[in-house]
Amino acid sequence: MQIDAREVICGGVFVVVAALFAYGTIDLPMGTAIRMGPGYFPLMLAIILGALGLLIVVKGLGRATSPIGSVPWRGVVFILLGPILFGLTVRGLGIVPAIALVALIAALASAKAGWRTIVLLPIALTAFCVIVFSYGLGLPYAMFGPWVAPLLPGV
Amino acid sequence: MELLSNLALGFGASLEPVNLLYCFIGVLLGTLIGVLPGIGPTATIAMLLPITFGLKPETSLIMLAGIYYGAQYGGSTTAILINLPGESSSAVTAIDGYQMARKGKAGPALAIAALGSFFAGTVATVLVAVFATPLTELALQFGPAEYFSLIFLGLVSSVALAHGSILKALAMIVLGLLFGLVGSDVTSGAQRFTMGIPEISDKLEFVAVAIGVFGLAEILKNLENESDREVVATKISRLLPNREEFREMVGPVLRGTALGSILGILPGGGAILSSFAAYTVEKKISKTPWEFGKGAIAGVAAPESANNAGAQTSFIPMLTLGIPANAVMALMVGAMIIQGIQPGPNVAIEQPELFWGVITSMWIGNLMLVLLNLPLIGLWVKLLTIPYTVLFPAILVFCSIGVFSVNSNVFDLYTVAFFGLLGYFLVKLGCEPAPLLLGFVLGPMIEENLRRAMTISRGDWTVFFTRPLSAGLLIAAALVLAVVFLPSVKAKREEVFQEEG
């Protein structure tokens, strides 16, 4: 029998997520229809989501598989690292190093970026962002945080 | 005459220098992202939400609205000149617009698109103004049951008009509703699905979710096939259409405007659907259908008018009822909430200056676009030479700073990464992200109205069918669902969205 892997995975993901949400309502009071507790509506939704997921799985059985296409793994890893690294460093290092770091990571995400992009782009972007966000819009964040400020006398 | 005094009040607000300035910035940015493929209005508005924080409410809404309809203009410019639609709503314009350009009629094609859009924008602004008051009055009679049914209708029809599988779109909405409930329950204060993480004990940050599923997921999608764009700019000799071309565009512009206005109001509608529908209609009723695809004027005029009309009338349900009809409107609702305004019929009554100011600013913005775009075409084309390798790191940096600036909360950045990953893989599995965001915004709203309605009716589920307005809305929702699942409609629907893909 043919199986449309994309549909089956897709439906399966919905079923799993629905189960997780349903599990999350276990400790919540259900209440009654007159006075619905915090668990009532989410459990209803989780059941509907599970049912929809199952339907999607069933529809995927006995069908030729749909193309999923390639996944740019390098891009996925680097792009998702960007905001995470920014979050980890923005308080400690300050926004200037954090921005430069995100720009560098993002430049590395592209398979096509040459060394000029990788070196110059973070510098240009950081300068631009500091001018726009710190001076222009006046966002109240330290340019250099407590991790590096002592090393930079005069900043 | 109330309409005139309302409009006067609105122009008073929208003509204030600071509002004019931000309206200009909005349409300029809108055109810019409309021109650049790979970044759409939804992602841009999501990125800019945090920046509008410090502005006055009407100023920020005026700017965000400008981005949305400005993007329709920008998208058509590149569609016509280099056969590269910057926005999906101008994909059909590329078919005939590019052919006109190849025949040396690039100038008239651009002018037809701009003039058609301006006419449609003017009509749509008037429509928004005319419908605003009666709809607001109707909405004030709504109880929780009606609101529940209305939101239900909105969610159902957004599925019907979205592209891709109906089942998947429904699942995405339910998933969005569930994510919308994460945090503390408004009624009981209980913590739901927070897994003990204190940063989401209130709720998931809307801006972070929106940037994740639209901004990040869009970058990842574009990284799949990185290729350099080749830009061969066409020379533009004359700009204005001659008398004959002008006569040919009148009918399509009128029909496109009418169709776009209607489709824009429908939940899930808006610019994309309008332009496709208008093109199909013109091809059907044309006396010379063989000209389509070879540079037919109607093939440019109708979809361009329709997408602009649709972009603007989709503000009607958002402004009057507080119910977003598409993902961009969901972001506008988010912008209002950030500003401390509860979207809904009360906005028009309590803040008439904001309400009418936003409506009138649309007309001013459209005028700016016509004056701005035609002379600046050369500049827009030049922008296309910016390679994507430079563009997306900038987008990622702006996203990071933007999300952080909302609450100065580091955890929101991890939320962005999580929803970026989730959004991207759901896209890979054939699920559109727009319904998820719509569900996310509407989740708490629909739950609260359901609970209130059930408490008032003493636990009687039939309340949704015994109150006439509510019953009417639910019947409409049932009809919509029945229609999309009809075999003949289903086949036709798939065909329409196939062309779009």
Side-chain angles (χ1 to χ4, degrees), chain B residues 314-381:
Chain B
S314 62
F315 278 84
I316 293 179
M318 196 280 289
L319 283 173
T320 56
L321 308 172
I323 308 291
N326 56 35
V328 174
M329 292 305 125
L331 288 163
M332 300 291 278
V333 168
M336 286 172 121
I337 294 172
I338 287 180
Q339 295 278 2
I341 300 168
Q342 187 57 44
N346 283 325
V347 175
I349 296 158
E350 284 161 15
Q351 313 218 346
E353 271 181 36
L354 172 129
F355 185 84
W356 292 99
V358 171
I359 291 175
T360 48
S361 83
M362 293 185 200
W363 187 77
I364 297 173
N366 272 292
L367 187 64
M368 284 182 185
L369 280 165
V370 171
L371 301 178
L372 180 81
N373 269 13
L374 293 177
L376 287 183
I377 283 163
L379 176 71
W380 298 133
V381 172

Side-chain angles (χ1 to χ4, degrees), chain B residues 351-439:
Chain B
Q351 313 218 346
E353 271 181 36
L354 172 129
F355 185 84
W356 292 99
V358 171
I359 291 175
T360 48
S361 83
M362 293 185 200
W363 187 77
I364 297 173
N366 272 292
L367 187 64
M368 284 182 185
L369 280 165
V370 171
L371 301 178
L372 180 81
N373 269 13
L374 293 177
L376 287 183
I377 283 163
L379 176 71
W380 298 133
V381 172
K382 248 194 207 100
L383 274 173
L384 278 167
T385 48
I386 299 176
Y388 197 64
T389 11
V390 174
L391 210 54
F392 80 84
I395 298 173
L396 194 68
V397 169
F398 297 155
C399 284
S400 302
I401 301 176
V403 171
F404 184 60
S405 67
V406 181
N407 300 325
S408 300
N409 184 348
V410 167
F411 189 83
D412 287 344
L413 289 155
Y414 311 145
T415 313
V416 170
F418 174 78
F419 277 93
L421 185 69
L422 183 80
Y424 175 65
F425 278 99
L426 285 170
V427 167
K428 290 299 276 183
L429 295 171
C431 302
E432 285 294 314
L436 184 131
L437 195 65
L438 212 52

